[in-house]
């Protein structure tokens, strides 16, 4: 039996693309195609009655860039089809899209921005990432940035914004209409201070399940640069005015600090406390994954206090690439019983053995504790290795081996899995693996 997802695209996406097409005169287009085969000894990630399966995959990829004149744009898309040969699941189709465009209509005065992200996320973030716990998710964002240089040291920015959120299997689809304003005063060439404020109306498609609300935020801002570092500090408060349920007030602030050791290595610290919603968390994670892993959050129409600390170390060398991260999160939902504390640690190493041969190893440990109900704590371990060989300039093959184990205080949620995957890709893109 063939299973197909009904992919969603907001009508505004089509309108914007049609608008941009006549402007774009120097498009760079890249394509790719890949096929692969994998084996898993526990396809459904269950604690009992484990079933092995072979999974065949085919994928195509597309990248479009435009950087001429006032228009900059990039779109990366991939489509993959997976066939479970032993029929553990029906055939699965997956689409991913990241599209970003900016048009500077008036130089240093007015820029139009559009973003669209289409991907997959978990229905229940505590359950295994199997096809029956996977849903399509999309966010479309559109609005202008309007600049005024009031004096040589004072500037003002006003940014109206429209966002549309879609989650396939959750009743949390919503539209957000907002406007933000920011004033910045450059005290010194290396330091600036200012104020930011924003008001956003959130309107859910199913208001009976998820009450509409208005979010208001005001923050003081300090930013600066040093020879090897740069930082931005925001401190303020947020007020949530809900149509039903209680209103909420909360602290709102963040620190984003980047320190560069050398031209090849850096460390980034991101600290956040914000009274927000899951849709905003999804959008922020797509724009910048190092501000928080959305897989830690539960898709919900509720508001929550999101407290996050994430440290990321990166090093890019001629032979060795390193990425190490730590993320600590405390999620406090105001109505739904989804409160949790998360500890996430990971490492990803890539080593170039020769100009044609690259190897890699990665590991990850995630501990998630439900703090509202106190009924479940999961500890997930994962380790994997891969080998990639460049057959020609565009043709490459790879083999991935992985083992993962989930220990839980609820035995029904425990599982372990060994999997191996081999594939070949021509052009850009990669295979999803599993």
């Amino acid at each position: 039996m063939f299973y197909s997802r009904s992919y969603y695209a907001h009508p505004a996406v089509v309108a914007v693309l049609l608008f941009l097409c006549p402007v774009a005169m120097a498009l760079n287009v890249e394509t790719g195609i890949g096929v692969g085969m994998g084996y898993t000894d526990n396809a459904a990630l269950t604690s009992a009655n484990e079933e092995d399966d072979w999974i065949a995959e085919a994928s195509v990829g597309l990248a479009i860039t435009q950087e001429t004149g006032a228009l900059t744009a990039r779109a990366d898309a991939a489509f993959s089809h997976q066939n479970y040969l032993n029929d553990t699941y029906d055939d699965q189709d997956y689409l991913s899209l990241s599209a970003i465009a900016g048009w500077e209509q008036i130089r240093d005065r007015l820029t139009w921005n559009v973003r669209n992200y289409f991907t997959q996320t978990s229905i229940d973030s505590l359950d295994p990432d199997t096809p029956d716990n996977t849903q399509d998710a999309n966010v479309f964002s559109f609005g202008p940035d309007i600049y005024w240089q009031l004096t040589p040291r004072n500037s003002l920015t006003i940014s109206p914004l429209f966002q549309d959120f879609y989650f396939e299997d959750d009743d949390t689809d919503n539209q957000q209409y907002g406007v933000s304003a920011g004033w910045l005063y450059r005290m010194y060439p290396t330091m600036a201070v200012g104020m930011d404020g924003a008001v956003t109306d959130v309107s859910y498609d199913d208001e009976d399940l998820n009450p509409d609300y208005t979010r208001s935020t005001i923050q003081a801002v300090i930013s600066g640069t040093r020879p090897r570092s740069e930082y931005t500090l925001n401190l303020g408060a947020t007020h949530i005015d809900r149509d039903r349920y209680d209103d909420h007030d909360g602290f709102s602030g963040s620190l984003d600090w980047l320190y560069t050791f050398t031209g090849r290595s850096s460390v980034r610290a991101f600290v956040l406390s914000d009274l927000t919603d899951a849709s905003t968390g999804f959008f922020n994670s797509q724009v910048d994954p190092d501000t928080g892993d959305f897989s830690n959050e539960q898709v919900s129409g509720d508001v929550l206090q999101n407290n996050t600390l994430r440290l990321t170390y990166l090093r890019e060398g001629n032979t060795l690439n390193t990425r190490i991260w730590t993320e600590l999160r405390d999620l406090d939902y105001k109505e739904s019983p989804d409160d949790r504390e998360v500890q996430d640690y990971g490492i990803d190493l890539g080593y170039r053995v020769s100009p044609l041969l690259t190897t890699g190893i990665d590991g990850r440990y995630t501990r998630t504790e439900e703090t509202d109900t106190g009924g479940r704590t999961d500890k997930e371990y994962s380790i994997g290795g891969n080998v990639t060989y460049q057959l020609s300039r565009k043709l490459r093959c790879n083999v991935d081996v992985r083992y993962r184990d989930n220990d839980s205080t609820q035995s029904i949620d425990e599982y372990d899995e060994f999997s191996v995957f081999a594939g070949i890709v021509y052009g850009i893109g990669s295979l999803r693996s599993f």
Side-chain angles (χ1 to χ4, degrees), residues 9-18 114 116 140 142 162 164:
H10 192 277
V13 177
V14 179
V16 170
L17 292 177
L18 291 174
V114 59
N116 197 89
F140 171 78
F142 178 69
F162 167 77
D164 181 271

Side-chain angles (χ1 to χ4, degrees), residues 219-258:
Q219 296 179 331
V221 181
I222 303 175
S223 63
T225 58
R226 298 293 181 183
R228 288 192 175 184
S229 66
E230 57 185 70
Y231 65 89
T232 301
L233 175 66
N234 298 274
L235 297 173
T238 296
H239 174 72
I240 299 287
D241 183 3
R242 308 185 83 174
D243 288 357
R244 299 196 312 274
Y245 303 137
D246 295 334
D247 297 345
H248 295 283
D249 295 286
F251 173 78
S252 177
S254 65
L255 171 63
D256 194 350
W257 177 72
L258 176 67

